[in-house]
Amino acid sequence: MPLVQEPAIPASLKPFRPLPDRRTASGGGETAAEPAIVTENLSIRYGHFTAVSNVSMAIPPRQVTAIIGPSGCGKSTLLRSFNRMNDFTPNLSVSGRVLYRGRDVYDPQTDPVELRRTIGMVFQKPNPFPKSIFRNVAWGAAINGFTGSLDELVEQSLRRAALWDEVKDKLHSSALALSGGQQQRLCIARAIALQPDVLLMDEPCSALDPIATTRIEDLIDNLKKHYTVVLVTHNMQQAARVSDRTAFMYMGELVEYGKTDDIFTHPSNPRTQDYITGRFG
């Protein structure tokens, strides 16, 4: 089902803070997009266990990057390092760097709360607040001092999450009455309302039925017009359908990273070939 082409969020709905420049100058008077997120020799350990080992990669803006690999390979740990959601895990240690728009997210001067507003996250299981649909979307903006029109912000966020037409007549009904797929799109709208630059999605379709999964996949394709999307998925077919670039991880290592078509049709590493053909995983 095609998504409604919604207008951009009005200029009056200004971000809480100015975002970094999205483009940098290149030769010949042209402009070239800088990476949204870069990791440099990133390793993450829980106590003595190494979950992510020496990962270096650059994630381009306004594209969908999928991270695939067998269970326990470190893909969710890597994803959560981008906005420091791993900070809540005991005995965590991080070496190397994660750069967002050139700024080290683990620098002591980085405010992790502000970072998570700019790099939003959608989790595996839909987790709406036990509040109305309207308050779910408006809550984060309201408590963070948003001074624009909450009505406009809620509508545009729901439109961008392809949910407005389904809920516009019941905005003050409980979000918990929505279906699982609608709840997940509501959580996406809630993240969008904070006006992020990047959206992280940790297996957002794993708890959904095939019809709801199709809606989310269509939505992801539309979201990259406005956001950088990084998607962890256990579903290789989903990665092939929705992503522009794919990273394959195995036992904490980044085995291969490149254009999705190349990864799935002409992988350069035998382990990638074995995984995508089902020989292990």
Side-chain angles (χ1 to χ4, degrees):
M1 178 180 298
L3 296 175
V4 174
Q5 296 299 310
E6 82 295 333
I9 289 178
S12 60
L13 302 182
K14 295 180 179 179
F16 304 118
R17 70 281 165 217
L19 292 175
D21 291 340
R22 298 186 187 278
R23 305 184 72 83
T24 56
S26 64
E30 299 178 353
T31 57
E34 65 172 340
I37 295 174
V38 174
T39 68
E40 298 177 348
N41 302 314
L42 178 66
S43 294
I44 303 172
R45 298 175 180 84
Y46 303 124
H48 297 292
F49 172 71
T50 301
V52 172
S53 180
N54 200 37
V55 169
S56 296
M57 64 187 300
I59 295 174
R62 299 299 195 272
Q63 293 187 23
V64 179
T65 298
I67 304 174
I68 64 172
S71 296
C73 70
K75 53 188 185 291
S76 290
T77 297
L78 176 63
L79 185 79
R80 289 165 179 258
S81 72
F82 297 158
N83 68 350
R84 292 181 51 175
M85 290 296 292
N86 290 330
D87 286 8
F88 302 107
T89 305
N91 302 315
L92 175 80
S93 62
V94 178
S95 61
R97 296 204 299 171
V98 178
L99 304 176
Y100 164 66
R101 303 288 184 182
R103 298 178 296 181
D104 189 346
V105 306
Y106 284 95
D107 186 281
Q109 299 300 314
T110 298
D111 180 354
V113 175
E114 180 71 12
L115 177 69
R116 293 177 196 126
R117 293 181 194 139
T118 308
I119 305 178
M121 190 156 193
V122 177
F123 297 93
Q124 181 174 357
K125 185 177 179 181
N127 59 343
F129 302 143
K131 302 177 184 295
S132 70
I133 294 167
F134 184 94
R135 293 190 71 191
N136 261 269
V137 180
W139 185 261
I143 66 174
N144 282 285
F146 180 72
T147 58
S149 167
L150 284 176
D151 289 338
E152 289 184 56
L153 181 64
V154 168
E155 178 177 347
Q156 296 304 328
S157 299
L158 289 169
R159 284 188 183 278
R160 198 163 277 186
L163 189 57
W164 173 253
D165 289 341
E166 297 169 45
V167 302
K168 61 184 179 182
D169 296 324
K170 49 184 177 182
L171 293 177
H172 299 289
S173 299
S174 173
L176 301 180
L178 297 175
S179 69
Q182 288 174 322
Q183 288 186 11
Q184 191 65 300
R185 281 182 283 146
L186 179 66
C187 292
I188 293 171
R190 187 174 67 193
I192 288 172
L194 289 172
Q195 303 176 28
D197 184 33
V198 179
L199 282 175
L200 309 178
M201 296 186 168
D202 192 358
E203 300 197 21
C205 301
S206 64
L208 304 180
D209 61 61
I211 293 175
T213 294
T214 298
R215 293 297 303 273
I216 295 292
E217 289 182 0
D218 289 343
L219 174 58
I220 289 171
D221 186 62
N222 202 51
L223 287 172
K224 72 178 182 181
K225 299 173 185 176
H226 309 284
Y227 312 99
T228 301
V229 179
V230 188
L231 168 72
V232 162
T233 179
H234 66 280
N235 186 325
M236 286 184 289
Q237 291 74 26
Q238 183 175 82
R241 286 192 297 266
V242 305
S243 69
D244 301 288
R245 298 181 67 84
T246 296
F248 168 56
M249 293 191 67
Y250 182 63
M251 297 184 68
E253 297 181 1
L254 179 62
V255 176
E256 191 166 351
Y257 176 50
K259 294 180 179 179
T260 295
D261 288 346
D262 293 339
I263 295 292
F264 281 93
T265 59
H266 303 291
S268 61
N269 191 293
R271 287 182 293 177
T272 309
Q273 178 71 32
D274 288 345
Y275 181 70
I276 65 177
T277 56
R279 294 178 186 173
F280 73 91

